[in-house]
């Protein structure tokens, strides 16, 4: 039986992590084929306490940094399929069945299309575009499944990237395998857009994508992010 390891990096996610774990356990097709690994990067709120209240979840602690946290979770995972998920993203009902169906078709990496929990016209449009297989439409908010063997073959997440780590890994997966977009919606939070401002955040995300395409280093991208968006 194929086992899926759901890996969720967290940092001060007390507001959402309990809701997510409960949702995942109640909406899985076969919970017996899943393990839930929560990797805490040093939360100072009640995140760890909340996770420990769930028998189904395994709490790990690692250095801060999403790439480091996800790599650490992958190292400790017992599943043959890794499923990386943000703490504020809720995959479709029976998400595990949809992933296994693709793996059985030898699609060893992929994601869901996305829907923001917002009715703003731009976020609705951006969500609509995620149904297409174009690499430019990908992002970590759509979650990511990948076989553990493939993940290890490409070296996992590049820990040099404090930001943009999801896109760097996805770029490599597009080169290495048939990447599939499952036509079911994961609902992701628009809280960062609401906090930063939709147009401000979108503009700076576009600039970061452009800088990377023009050869900017991991340090360059983080310096730009820190200057314009880290507040």
């Amino acid at each position: 039986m194929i086992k899926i390891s759901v890996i969720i990096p967290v940092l001060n996610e007390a507001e959402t992590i309990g809701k997510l774990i409960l949702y995942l356990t109640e909406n899985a097709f076969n919970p017996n084929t899943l393990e839930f690994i929560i990797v805490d990067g040093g939360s100072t709120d009640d995140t760890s306490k909340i996770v420990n209240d769930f028998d189904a979840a395994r709490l790990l602690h690692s250095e801060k940094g999403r790439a480091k946290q996800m790599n650490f979770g992958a190292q400790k995972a017992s599943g043959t399929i890794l499923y990386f998920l943000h703490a504020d993203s809720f995959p479709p009902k029976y998400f595990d069945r949809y992933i296994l169906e693709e793996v059985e078709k030898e699609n060893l990496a992929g994601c869901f299309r996305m829907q923001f929990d917002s009715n703003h016209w731009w976020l609705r449009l951006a969500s609509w575009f995620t149904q297409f297989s174009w690499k430019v439409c990908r992002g970590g908010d759509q979650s990511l499944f990948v076989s553990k063997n493939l993940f290890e073959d490409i070296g996992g997440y590049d820990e040099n990237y404090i930001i943009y780590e999801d896109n760097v890994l996805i770029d490599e997966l597009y080169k290495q395998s048939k990447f599939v977009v499952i036509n079911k919606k994961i609902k992701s939070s628009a809280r960062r857009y609401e906090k930063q401002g939709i147009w401000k955040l979108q503009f700076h995300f576009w600039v970061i994508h452009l800088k990377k395409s023009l050869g900017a280093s991991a340090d360059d991208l983080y310096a730009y992010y820190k200057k314009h968006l880290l507040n």
Side-chain angles (χ1 to χ4, degrees), residues 3-22:
K3 186 175 184 179
I4 300 174
S5 297
V6 183
I7 300 170
I8 307 170
V10 294
L11 183 66
N12 295 329
E13 292 288 358
E15 184 178 342
T16 62
I17 192 60
K19 298 173 187 175
L20 178 59
I21 296 172
L22 184 62

Side-chain angles (χ1 to χ4, degrees), residues 46-72:
D46 289 334
T47 296
S48 293
K49 179 179 180 298
I50 292 169
V51 175
N52 281 327
D53 287 339
F54 289 89
D55 293 334
R58 178 183 174 195
L59 179 65
L60 302 177
H61 298 275
S62 83
E63 292 183 59
K64 178 181 176 182
R66 283 178 42 81
K68 292 179 180 179
Q69 290 169 244
M70 291 187 287
N71 280 341
F72 187 70

Side-chain angles (χ1 to χ4, degrees), residues 3 71 74-75 79-84 99 102-103 105-111 144-158 168-180:
K3 186 175 184 179
N71 280 341
Q75 290 170 14
T80 54
I81 302 298
L82 308 176
Y83 181 46
F84 297 99
I99 291 172
E102 295 302 329
V103 172
K105 292 186 284 188
E106 298 187 355
N107 293 322
L108 299 183
C111 66
L144 171 70
F145 75 87
V146 57
S147 76
K148 190 171 186 178
N149 286 340
L150 177 56
F151 181 80
E152 292 174 346
D153 285 346
I154 63 176
Y157 285 93
D158 187 337
V168 171
L169 180 66
I170 290 169
D171 285 350
E172 192 60 33
L173 289 171
Y174 264 82
K175 297 175 186 176
Q176 297 291 332
S177 72
K178 182 180 178 183
F179 192 99
V180 64

